[in-house]
Amino acid sequence: MMSTPTQETAEKTQIRGNEVEGHKTHKVEISEAAAEKVSSLLEQEGREDLRLRVAVQPGGCSGLIYQLYFDERTLDGDALREFDGVQVIVDKMSVPYLEDAKIDFEDSISKQGFTIDNPNAGGSCACGDSFH
């Protein structure tokens, strides 16, 4: 059975994670490795009420910087999505900047930390900490 172009497009744009009932959703995706690291950090904190908040703020040499931090609050307009038990919040102003962004966690001999692959970033500075 052949699929129609509409079905193929729908399959390609489906992202990992689950919508959280009663909340708007977003198209940020976190990898299994990133979700595992967030879960591990939350376990170390001993707090089950925290969520990972991903935001874009003015700053850095290119104009915008990413912020990743734990937050117990959900604010009016926040978009929420759950990945392997980890809830990820994006504020309403950051949603368009982060659409289809992918968050991963790298743990190698040369680098350890979260990475963000954002198709909406037009460019970044030499240090890699900010984008435009």
Side-chain angles (χ1 to χ4, degrees):
M1 175 198 250
M2 294 185 72
S3 60
T4 65
T6 305
Q7 288 172 324
E8 288 174 10
T9 303
E11 290 170 11
K12 288 180 187 174
T13 59
Q14 184 175 352
I15 62 169
R16 222 171 71 72
N18 301 309
E19 293 183 16
V20 177
E21 191 174 326
H23 292 276
K24 296 176 185 175
T25 192
H26 57 74
K27 291 187 176 182
V28 175
E29 186 173 343
I30 67 171
S31 69
E32 289 181 30
E36 287 174 16
K37 184 61 177 179
V38 171
S39 291
S40 170
L41 292 169
L42 287 172
E43 192 173 303
Q44 288 175 19
E45 289 287 322
R47 304 245 334 247
E48 295 181 13
D49 63 326
L50 297 176
R51 299 169 182 94
L52 178 66
R53 182 173 289 276
V54 183
V56 172
Q57 299 290 323
C61 11
S62 289
L64 297 169
I65 57 171
Y66 298 111
Q67 290 193 330
L68 292 142
Y69 59 94
F70 294 127
D71 199 346
E72 61 197 16
R73 308 164 296 144
T74 53
L75 305 173
D76 189 37
D78 279 349
L80 192 60
R81 194 164 187 86
E82 187 171 321
F83 301 87
D84 305 320
V86 172
Q87 290 189 349
V88 178
I89 302 172
V90 179
D91 66 88
K92 65 182 173 184
M93 299 301 287
S94 298
V95 167
Y97 292 104
L98 294 169
E99 188 168 333
D100 296 324
K102 295 188 178 8
I103 300 172
D104 197 6
F105 183 78
E106 186 176 333
D107 190 2
S108 67
I109 195 164
S110 61
K111 182 178 183 179
Q112 182 183 38
F114 290 96
T115 61
I116 300 175
D117 179 16
N118 187 351
N120 303 301
S124 63
C125 60
C127 68
D129 288 337
S130 66
F131 71 100
H132 62 272

